[in-house]
Amino acid sequence: MISAANPHAQYESHRREIDAAIRGVLDRGEYILGREVLAFEKEFAAWVGVKHAVSVANGTDAVHLALRASGIGAGDEVITVSHSAVATVAAVEMAGATPVLVDIDPVHFTIDPERIEEAITPRTRAILPVHLYGCPAEMTAIVDISRRRGVKIVEDCAQAHGARVGGRRVGAIGDAAAFSFYPTKNLGAIGDGGMIVTDDDETAAKARLLRQYGWQARYVSSVIGWNSRLDELQAAILRVKLRYLDEDNERRRGIAAKYTAALDGSPVVSPAIRGEHVFHLYVVRDERRDELSAALAARGIGTGIHYPLPIHLQPAYRGRIRDTGLAETERAARQVLSLPIYPELSAADVSTVASALAELAR
Ligand SMILES: *Cc1c(COP(=O)(O)O)cnc(C)c1O
């Protein structure tokens, strides 16, 4: 079976360096907010092209604490999408704010800028675009709306480490941004991890307080805080993997190009590209998605659906969150299919998938 993702393959390909990094942490006996975390924050900030990076325990916390550090909380509305991981909307509510859901652009599956302005109210404080599947959101239009209407931008970059649009990496465009290092993400830990990035000194300082009990100094809390820290082992592992991330993203793009070529002339719609896409997922659109998925499975090719049920239709959220019409979101949920893509996918497996597509997707 060719799996849709395979984080273990990444460990195998960097085993020696990762083992040495883990050994180093074990030998030093420094576990929390030590030198690996510090170094990783510096290296990641430089890689994204921002002044500050503040590591946290996971991507959901990164969105949650990026919002709080940006001064967003109770009584504030945050405009985002329903076509995303549930974490996006969960994090808005964790911050005490109110999510408002707008539809996606059906070509790129990211927030439709034309639908943002009609959702703005006097309580709107931020737009939370998600760079979904590795494709940057339409940031030029979003930055324009943010400036004109005086609302902040907090980017959800959990699926787009390294993607670029308008010459800048995602995470370096909004007022603050959040990354996840869940194992299958483009930069994945061997466990959980997350990062808040920003150019703003005050937002970064606030995020540092919030991630550790609100401590201004040891045992002295100046604000109410949480406990959300990245640990030394994960930081050491992520430092190794960060060195290969550009190369890994290049591999993902190479695989995507082969699939797209195989789908040329097919009614199955291959992904649209905006800026530099990093293909966290390779997602096609097909009216007969379930048939295509079954036919691929019969040939030993695994697929996924991201996501089968939009957030606003899930039991925890249904009927409870304001939206401004989500027809494209609901249509996408019925038609999207994610094909196998990860940097270690072998050339033979890529050919198998591409040939299956050329044959089945017509
Ligand atoms: C993975 C993901 C998150 C959450 O990250 P975790 O590390 O799993 O908490 C948030 N937003 C999006 C779009 C994601 O894909």
Side-chain angles (χ1 to χ4, degrees), residues 83 103-115 133 269-272 274 283-285 327-332 335-336:
H83 187 64
D103 216 352
I104 51 167
D105 133 28
V107 176
H108 299 90
F109 300 106
T110 51
I111 192 165
D112 184 348
E114 294 192 5
R115 304 298 302 275
Y133 307 151
V269 182
S270 55
R274 173 191 288 128
V283 177
V284 298
R285 180 196 274 281
E328 290 299 347
T329 295
E330 291 180 15
R331 191 164 71 95
Q335 299 183 345
V336 291

Side-chain angles (χ1 to χ4, degrees), residues 41 45 50-54 196-202 204-205 208:
E41 288 178 344
V50 291
K51 207 161 150 195
H52 307 283
V54 181
I196 298 161
V197 300
T198 181
D199 274 326
D200 187 66
D201 298 348
E202 205 182 307
R208 285 184 197 284

Side-chain angles (χ1 to χ4, degrees), residues 58-61 63 84-85 87-88 130 132 156 158-159 180-182 185 192-193 280 307:
N58 55 68
T60 311
D61 280 359
V63 179
S84 182
T88 305
V130 180
L132 200 73
D156 183 338
Q159 300 194 3
S180 162
F181 305 125
Y182 182 80
K185 308 283 165 142
D192 276 312
H280 169 58
Y307 294 88

Side-chain angles (χ1 to χ4, degrees), residues 288-312:
R288 295 182 304 171
R289 187 254 324 266
D290 296 335
E291 278 170 54
L292 178 59
S293 161
L296 288 166
R299 295 176 180 222
I301 297 167
T303 57
I305 298 174
H306 302 88
Y307 294 88
L309 197 58
I311 299 167
H312 72 284

Side-chain angles (χ1 to χ4, degrees), residues 84-109:
S84 182
V86 74
T88 305
V89 171
V92 174
E93 293 199 321
M94 284 165 78
T98 305
V100 174
L101 304 175
V102 307
D103 216 352
I104 51 167
D105 133 28
V107 176
H108 299 90
F109 300 106

Side-chain angles (χ1 to χ4, degrees), residues 20-40 218 229-237 239:
I22 292 171
R23 185 90 256 152
V25 172
L26 297 182
D27 286 343
R28 277 196 299 277
E30 204 174 81
Y31 305 127
I32 296 290
L33 300 186
R35 73 189 76 185
E36 296 291 342
V37 165
L38 252 166
F40 178 53
R218 204 169 183 78
R229 296 172 301 219
L230 184 70
D231 68 73
E232 285 284 288
L233 282 172
Q234 297 305 334
I237 292 163
R239 288 183 73 198

Side-chain angles (χ1 to χ4, degrees), residues 112-323:
D112 184 348
E114 294 192 5
R115 304 298 302 275
I116 292 176
E117 287 205 67
E118 67 193 26
I120 293 180
T121 74
R123 303 169 85 149
T124 306
R125 293 287 309 284
I127 303 166
L128 175 58
V130 180
H131 306 297
L132 200 73
Y133 307 151
C135 179
E138 224 285 59
M139 294 309 289
T140 310
I142 295 168
V143 166
D144 176 61
I145 295 167
S146 131
R147 293 209 176 116
R148 277 191 294 105
R149 306 298 298 261
V151 298
K152 288 190 171 175
I153 299 173
V154 176
E155 302 169 69
D156 183 338
C157 306
Q159 300 194 3
H161 315 64
R164 278 193 179 85
V165 65
R168 305 183 80 171
R169 277 195 157 142
V170 300
I173 304 166
D175 297 280
F179 288 85
S180 162
F181 305 125
Y182 182 80
T184 57
K185 308 283 165 142
N186 290 43
L187 179 59
I190 301 183
D192 276 312
M195 191 77 90
I196 298 161
V197 300
T198 181
D199 274 326
D200 187 66
D201 298 348
E202 205 182 307
T203 304
K206 187 106 181 274
R208 285 184 197 284
L209 288 179
L210 294 178
R211 76 168 168 188
Q212 179 161 250
Y213 325 120
W215 276 359
Q216 66 181 46
R218 204 169 183 78
Y219 310 126
V220 183
S221 296
S222 58
V223 295
I224 295 169
W226 280 259
N227 174 6
S228 183
R229 296 172 301 219
L230 184 70
D231 68 73
E232 285 284 288
L233 282 172
Q234 297 305 334
I237 292 163
L238 287 162
R239 288 183 73 198
V240 172
K241 292 197 184 187
L242 179 59
R243 297 202 281 272
Y244 298 98
L245 184 49
D246 286 320
E247 202 178 295
D248 285 349
N249 282 342
E250 207 48 63
R251 289 222 176 96
R252 287 176 183 270
R253 277 194 282 268
I255 295 166
K258 294 212 167 81
Y259 293 169
T260 295
L263 286 171
D264 190 28
S266 154
V268 175
V269 182
S270 55
I273 293 177
R274 173 191 288 128
E276 259 178 65
H277 196 310
V278 291
F279 290 98
H280 169 58
L281 296 168
Y282 185 95
V283 177
V284 298
R285 180 196 274 281
D286 185 12
E287 281 176 19
R288 295 182 304 171
R289 187 254 324 266
D290 296 335
E291 278 170 54
L292 178 59
S293 161
L296 288 166
R299 295 176 180 222
I301 297 167
T303 57
I305 298 174
H306 302 88
Y307 294 88
L309 197 58
I311 299 167
H312 72 284
L313 296 179
Q314 297 184 22
Y317 298 92
R318 194 169 198 133
R320 203 168 64 68
I321 315 280
R322 185 164 77 84
D323 69 62

